[in-house]
Amino acid sequence: LLESGFDGDTVTDTGYKFIFDFSENFLPIGVFLRLVCLCVAHAVRSQENIHGLAEPVLFKNFLSIELESGFILYLREDARCQSIIVTLENEKHAALGLKIVQSMLVKLDADVMGSGLSWVTLLQNETNGGFIAEYDARQQNLAPWYTEEKHGSQKIQSQNINLDAFFDSLS
C-alpha cells in the first residue's frame, strides 16, 4: 500500500513547473494514479535501454521518477485545488516533459475516461514565476516550454493505440 501522502513542497520547490488544472470541472479519483502508472511504464521501457535509473519514490499523491537517464520528473496531485502539478529538474527536459506527460493525460482521457476530462494547462513563466495558459505560452514561444528549435509541431497519436506504439511515439 502507498503511504498516505506527500505533504511538503521541499522536493518540488525548484524546477520547471506546469499544472493541469481541473478546477473548472473536477479531477476524478484514479486519474493521478493512472498517470503515475504510465510514467512508471515509460521509465521501465527506458531502463531496458539504459541501466541504473533511480528507483521511483511514490506516495498516494506524489511521484518522483527518472523517466530516462538524468530526466527527473515530479508529479503531485493537489486534490484541494483539483490539479496535478508537474515539476522537471532540468530546463533541457521541459519541452519534452510537457509533451510526454500531456500526451499521457490525453491518452488516459481518450482510452479510459471517454474523452470526458476537462482541464487547462498552465505553464510557469520563468521570468516572473507566475503561470500562463498554454495557448498564450505557445503564442509567445515562452522558454523553456516553446522555442522554435526545441518544440516541433509533431502531434503524438495517443488515442486507441497500444502502449508499446504509444511509448514509441514519445521518443
Side-chain angles (χ1 to χ4, degrees), residues 18-167:
F18 58 95
I19 298 172
F20 298 119
D21 180 2
F22 294 83
S23 64
E24 290 181 15
N25 203 348
F26 69 100
L27 175 59
I29 294 171
V31 169
F32 177 76
L33 291 178
R34 288 175 189 267
L35 188 59
V36 164
C37 291
L38 285 175
C39 288
V40 170
H42 180 52
V44 167
R45 285 178 49 91
S46 297
Q47 197 166 16
E48 292 173 1
N49 301 321
I50 303 168
H51 298 289
L53 295 181
E55 193 166 314
V57 176
L58 184 59
F59 290 86
K60 182 180 176 185
N61 65 336
F62 176 81
L63 170 70
S64 169
I65 192 163
E66 187 173 15
L67 289 179
E68 299 171 10
S69 184
F71 188 160
I72 298 172
L73 175 121
Y74 305 102
L75 290 177
R76 186 168 55 87
E77 178 184 34
D78 185 336
R80 186 178 46 81
C81 293
Q82 297 289 295
S83 62
I84 296 173
I85 299 107
V86 183
T87 306
L88 299 146
E89 281 192 350
N90 193 319
E91 178 181 10
K92 73 179 184 179
H93 297 124
L96 181 58
L98 173 62
K99 180 174 141 182
I100 287 172
V101 180
Q102 195 164 46
S103 296
M104 289 175 177
L105 192 55
V106 168
K107 179 166 183 56
L108 282 174
D109 184 32
D111 293 357
V112 179
M113 304 304 295
S115 298
L117 290 177
S118 175
W119 70 89
V120 175
T121 303
L122 303 170
L123 308 176
Q124 190 171 34
N125 184 333
E126 215 177 359
T127 307
N128 62 18
F131 287 87
I132 183 171
E134 179 187 23
Y135 175 82
D136 296 330
R138 188 180 307 122
Q139 295 302 314
Q140 297 173 22
N141 271 341
L142 184 66
W145 311 107
Y146 295 103
T147 60
E148 291 162 26
E149 64 273 0
K150 286 183 185 176
H151 179 69
S153 59
Q154 175 190 8
K155 182 107 170 142
I156 294 176
Q157 175 62 32
S158 59
Q159 295 178 220
N160 302 316
I161 60 173
N162 69 40
L163 278 180
D164 286 329
F166 172 68
F167 288 130

